[in-house]
Amino acid sequence: AHLLFGDFQLPVTASILIGSIPGIYIGARFSSQASDQVIRPVLTITLAASGLKLIGASNASVGIVGALLAVWSIAQHTMNGQRAGAATGT
Protein backbone atom coordinates (compact mmCIF):
# COMPACT_ATOMS: atom_id res chain seq x y z
CA ALA A 1 0.00 0.00 0.00
CA HIS A 2 2.85 2.40 0.77
CA LEU A 3 4.34 1.69 -2.64
CA LEU A 4 1.04 2.51 -4.35
CA PHE A 5 0.66 5.84 -2.54
CA GLY A 6 4.29 6.91 -3.02
CA ASP A 7 5.30 6.60 0.63
CA PHE A 8 7.79 3.73 0.21
CA GLN A 9 11.06 4.21 2.10
CA LEU A 10 13.73 1.68 1.17
CA PRO A 11 16.00 2.26 4.22
CA VAL A 12 13.12 1.61 6.64
CA THR A 13 11.97 -1.44 4.71
CA ALA A 14 15.50 -2.83 4.52
CA SER A 15 16.11 -2.39 8.26
CA ILE A 16 12.82 -4.13 9.07
CA LEU A 17 13.71 -7.04 6.80
CA ILE A 18 17.26 -7.30 8.18
CA GLY A 19 15.84 -7.70 11.68
CA SER A 20 12.76 -9.75 10.98
CA ILE A 21 14.06 -12.45 8.63
CA PRO A 22 16.69 -13.82 11.06
CA GLY A 23 14.20 -13.43 13.92
CA ILE A 24 11.58 -15.45 12.09
CA TYR A 25 14.09 -18.15 11.17
CA ILE A 26 15.51 -18.45 14.70
CA GLY A 27 12.03 -18.34 16.26
CA ALA A 28 10.74 -21.05 13.94
CA ARG A 29 13.72 -23.30 14.67
CA PHE A 30 13.41 -22.74 18.42
CA SER A 31 9.65 -23.27 18.57
CA SER A 32 9.79 -26.46 16.54
CA GLN A 33 12.33 -28.02 18.91
CA ALA A 34 11.23 -26.64 22.29
CA SER A 35 8.52 -28.19 24.44
CA ASP A 36 5.18 -26.57 25.19
CA GLN A 37 6.36 -25.94 28.75
CA VAL A 38 8.85 -23.43 27.33
CA ILE A 39 6.91 -22.00 24.39
CA ARG A 40 3.66 -21.14 26.18
CA PRO A 41 5.20 -18.94 28.91
CA VAL A 42 7.40 -17.16 26.37
CA LEU A 43 4.39 -16.44 24.17
CA THR A 44 2.35 -15.31 27.18
CA ILE A 45 5.00 -12.82 28.28
CA THR A 46 5.56 -11.57 24.73
CA LEU A 47 1.86 -11.06 24.03
CA ALA A 48 1.27 -9.39 27.40
CA ALA A 49 4.17 -6.99 26.85
CA SER A 50 2.98 -6.17 23.32
CA GLY A 51 -0.56 -5.56 24.53
CA LEU A 52 0.60 -3.31 27.35
CA LYS A 53 2.71 -1.23 24.98
CA LEU A 54 -0.23 -0.93 22.59
CA ILE A 55 -2.36 0.63 25.32
CA GLY A 56 0.45 3.04 26.23
CA ALA A 57 1.96 1.44 29.33
CA SER A 58 5.36 2.66 30.45
CA ASN A 59 8.48 0.57 29.98
CA ALA A 60 8.75 0.13 33.76
CA SER A 61 5.24 -1.29 34.08
CA VAL A 62 5.80 -3.62 31.12
CA GLY A 63 9.03 -4.83 32.74
CA ILE A 64 7.31 -5.40 36.08
CA VAL A 65 4.45 -7.35 34.51
CA GLY A 66 6.92 -9.38 32.42
CA ALA A 67 8.99 -10.21 35.48
CA LEU A 68 5.91 -11.20 37.47
CA LEU A 69 4.72 -13.45 34.66
CA ALA A 70 8.16 -15.05 34.41
CA VAL A 71 8.28 -15.70 38.17
CA TRP A 72 4.74 -17.11 38.09
CA SER A 73 5.63 -19.37 35.16
CA ILE A 74 8.73 -20.69 36.91
CA ALA A 75 6.74 -21.29 40.10
CA GLN A 76 4.05 -23.17 38.16
CA HIS A 77 6.68 -25.29 36.43
CA THR A 78 8.37 -26.07 39.76
CA MET A 79 5.10 -26.96 41.48
CA ASN A 80 4.04 -29.19 38.59
CA GLY A 81 7.38 -30.99 38.76
CA GLN A 82 7.00 -31.55 42.51
CA ARG A 83 3.46 -32.90 42.04
CA ALA A 84 4.68 -35.31 39.35
CA GLY A 85 7.51 -36.46 41.61
CA ALA A 86 5.13 -36.99 44.53
CA ALA A 87 2.73 -38.95 42.34
CA THR A 88 5.48 -41.29 41.12
CA GLY A 89 7.16 -41.56 44.52
CA THR A 90 10.48 -39.99 43.47
Side-chain angles (χ1 to χ4, degrees):
H2 288 273
L3 191 59
L4 291 175
F5 292 106
D7 190 31
F8 178 74
Q9 297 176 4
L10 184 60
V12 174
T13 303
S15 66
I16 290 172
L17 287 175
I18 288 170
S20 64
I21 291 174
I24 292 168
Y25 178 76
I26 292 168
R29 299 277 299 187
F30 176 73
S31 66
S32 68
Q33 295 176 357
S35 69
D36 282 347
Q37 293 176 342
V38 174
I39 297 297
R40 287 179 187 225
V42 170
L43 285 176
T44 302
I45 293 168
T46 303
L47 290 173
S50 298
L52 288 171
K53 287 306 288 182
L54 282 173
I55 61 171
S58 69
N59 288 342
S61 62
V62 172
I64 290 169
V65 169
L68 289 173
L69 284 172
V71 167
W72 178 76
S73 175
I74 291 168
Q76 289 285 52
H77 181 69
T78 302
M79 289 184 348
N80 288 340
Q82 290 174 351
R83 285 188 204 135
T88 60
T90 58

